[in-house]
Amino acid sequence: MDIKKLRENKLIVDKVEEALQAAYSSNQEFNAVLDEAAPLSFKSLRDPEHEYLVNVSDALYWVERDAYLDELDHWEGQREVNQHEAATSFIKDSDQQAVFLDLVDAIRFGRIAPFVGAGLSKPCGYPMWGEALRKIAQKLSELGVQDIEPLMAQYDYLQAAQVLYEAASQQVQHFIKTEFRQRGVITGPVTLLPQLATGCIVTTNFDTAIEDLFREKGQPLDGYMHGTQAGNNFVQRLLRGERCILKLHGDAGQANTHVFTQTQYQAAYGGAGGEPFAFQNQLPRALRQIFISHSLLFLGCSLEQDKTLDLFKSVVDEGAFEIPDHFALLNEPTTAPERARKEDRLLQLKIRPLWYATPADAEGKPDHSLLEQILKLAVAVARRQVAFV
């Protein structure tokens, strides 16, 4: 075909070139790597004094597209390996390969139910539980932070919340409704949840970061249970494998669903004064069902003195169910005895911890970035995008 005749079909040619150019432009980072080499130069036949300069990426893309795509595949593969280098080295150096690979298998086979704590909402601008309780105390005239600090030191957040609630219930409810409202940008490890969870998610958080994220991804969480909220056939949806969320403490905007204080917890779960948990109640029943049918992955949770762990212990001690392995990504304790104590307690609950380091950042605060790196590596290995050898 005479190339000059292409001018007669300019509209079609322009459309094709526009699509090809868009595809080329979508690989800007890769193109920049190719263009680190000096551009190719050509003398003009019409004007020998004029020189054409063509970037390497342009030349390869428009002249040898198969070669361009081969180089792109290689570069993306190598970048994937490099991206996971720090997490891979840490897991191997800390001798945690076995736990990591079992976690990968659970992700690959769709058995994971993330159990999301306040640590995953922190990068989105929401407070940790301790921060929230102290902020409430600072707002009250009847009490001060000093009145709840002894309880905070023992991780007895439910009783600390009870003290605050009894002093000013309306202010506590108002704080929850306003402090945990939608913040905007969703960032950090929480953004990986759609890649980890195909069914159920459990969270202790009041905020809607998880729901908002899944809605943005076009995967809305249609099934839900908010604290003591009645109905909604949550357990049936759970058993059918539908995408759903269990918000253990309730939803910020619905005060009647809140399970925030000691009294509210005992009303929802039973178990007061050494009595057994009331598994006829919907909240403990749903949580037990998830515990015996999924592999929980605890993220952003401290797993210190926790009433939820007490419920899991009662299920384990009962010995009536085959319980799958559960996993927890936890920042490593500062001392070996503390780590051994915590690990022993978790293993009794069928929870296998995978510890990660939290070195101080530029501001002297613990750096939790390794948590996200380990999660990304686990997803990539589960999807066979990279090999863990």
Side-chain angles (χ1 to χ4, degrees):
M1 179 179 179
D2 186 347
I3 194 170
K4 292 182 180 178
K5 289 185 178 180
L6 290 176
R7 292 178 177 175
E8 299 172 8
N9 300 286
K10 187 175 186 305
L11 183 60
I12 297 174
V13 172
D14 285 350
K15 288 291 184 183
V16 172
E17 287 190 343
E18 183 180 338
L20 291 171
Q21 183 62 44
Y24 167 79
S25 299
S26 67
N27 299 316
Q28 290 185 0
E29 192 176 348
F30 169 65
N31 294 338
V33 172
L34 290 179
D35 293 340
E36 290 175 0
L40 305 175
S41 62
F42 303 90
K43 293 288 186 181
S44 169
L45 297 177
R46 183 172 54 84
D47 179 6
E49 296 298 320
H50 182 73
E51 185 178 43
Y52 295 104
L53 296 177
V54 181
N55 286 332
V56 172
S57 62
D58 266 314
L60 197 59
Y61 182 78
W62 293 103
V63 178
E64 288 287 347
R65 191 161 297 122
D66 285 343
Y68 176 92
L69 294 174
D70 287 343
E71 292 291 335
L72 176 61
D73 286 342
H74 173 77
W75 177 79
E76 287 179 335
Q78 191 58 51
R79 183 179 63 168
E80 193 79 28
V81 171
N82 294 343
Q83 175 187 348
H84 301 303
E85 186 176 353
T88 300
S89 297
F90 176 80
I91 291 167
K92 291 179 178 179
D93 292 345
S94 59
D95 195 22
Q96 299 187 95
Q97 297 98 314
V99 177
F100 175 77
L101 290 174
D102 287 345
L103 170 60
V104 166
D105 284 342
I107 295 171
R108 180 175 293 146
F109 294 113
R111 298 198 306 265
I112 287 294
F115 190 114
V116 179
L120 252 64
S121 285
K122 179 68 173 174
C124 304
Y126 297 104
M128 301 289 283
W129 285 112
E131 292 177 63
L133 290 167
R134 291 183 177 96
K135 287 178 76 171
I136 295 172
Q138 290 169 357
K139 293 177 180 291
L140 303 185
S141 57
E142 299 89 342
L143 294 173
V145 176
Q146 69 279 0
D147 295 302
I148 62 169
E149 278 302 339
L151 295 169
M152 303 291 286
Q154 300 172 37
Y155 297 97
D156 195 349
Y157 292 165
L158 286 173
Q159 189 57 41
Q162 183 71 41
V163 170
L164 298 173
Y165 195 85
E166 290 175 354
S169 60
Q170 292 301 315
Q171 288 204 53
V172 171
Q173 290 181 9
H174 178 71
F175 175 87
I176 293 171
K177 185 175 182 179
T178 56
E179 187 72 15
F180 294 97
R181 68 187 185 280
Q182 188 175 18
R183 295 276 178 162
V185 179
I186 302 173
T187 186
V190 71
T191 59
L192 298 173
L193 290 181
Q195 301 174 57
L196 292 167
T198 57
C200 177
I201 297 175
V202 183
T203 182
T204 58
N205 300 341
F206 281 125
D207 61 75
T208 60
I210 297 172
E211 298 97 304
D212 295 339
L213 171 68
F214 275 80
R215 194 177 301 112
E216 287 177 8
K217 299 291 185 182
Q219 304 172 25
L221 297 164
D222 297 324
Y224 58 88
M225 182 190 290
H226 296 166
T228 55
Q229 172 195 59
N232 198 38
N233 297 319
F234 176 83
V235 173
Q236 289 81 356
R237 289 172 177 264
L238 170 70
L239 294 175
R240 289 198 298 266
E242 296 180 20
R243 203 176 285 117
C244 54
I245 184 168
L246 173 59
K247 301 185 78 166
L248 294 176
H249 286 179
D251 184 77
Q254 304 175 61
N256 62 323
T257 70
H258 293 175
V259 181
F260 186 55
T261 68
Q262 188 75 40
T263 299
Q264 290 170 340
Y265 182 90
Q266 289 172 356
Y269 288 87
E275 291 294 315
F277 284 94
F279 286 110
Q280 70 273 18
N281 293 359
Q282 62 172 7
L283 196 53
R285 184 171 70 250
L287 191 54
R288 179 178 65 181
Q289 182 62 50
I290 297 169
F291 184 68
I292 65 176
S293 60
H294 293 67
S295 284
L296 291 168
L297 173 57
F298 294 87
L299 300 168
C301 308
S302 66
L303 297 185
E304 290 295 342
Q305 298 301 322
D306 189 291
K307 295 295 185 181
T308 304
L309 296 186
D310 292 342
L311 183 147
F312 293 156
K313 185 176 187 302
S314 75
V315 177
V316 172
D317 290 347
E318 185 182 356
F321 304 96
E322 289 294 328
I323 299 172
D325 279 352
H326 303 288
F327 303 90
L329 264 64
L330 298 169
N331 55 301
E332 190 166 19
T334 54
T335 66
E338 184 183 357
R339 170 173 165 164
R341 174 193 61 79
K342 191 167 186 176
E343 190 166 84
D344 182 64
R345 181 166 58 88
L346 293 175
L347 290 174
Q348 290 180 37
L349 301 177
K350 312 297 183 182
I351 300 172
R352 302 172 66 189
L354 200 163
W355 307 101
Y356 65 90
T358 53
D361 62 16
E363 298 178 357
K365 299 177 180 178
D367 180 0
H368 290 267
S369 60
L370 193 55
L371 165 63
E372 186 169 0
Q373 294 173 36
I374 291 172
L375 280 178
K376 286 181 176 179
L377 175 62
V379 169
V381 177
R383 294 181 172 183
R384 305 188 192 282
Q385 295 169 334
V386 297
F388 184 83
V389 293

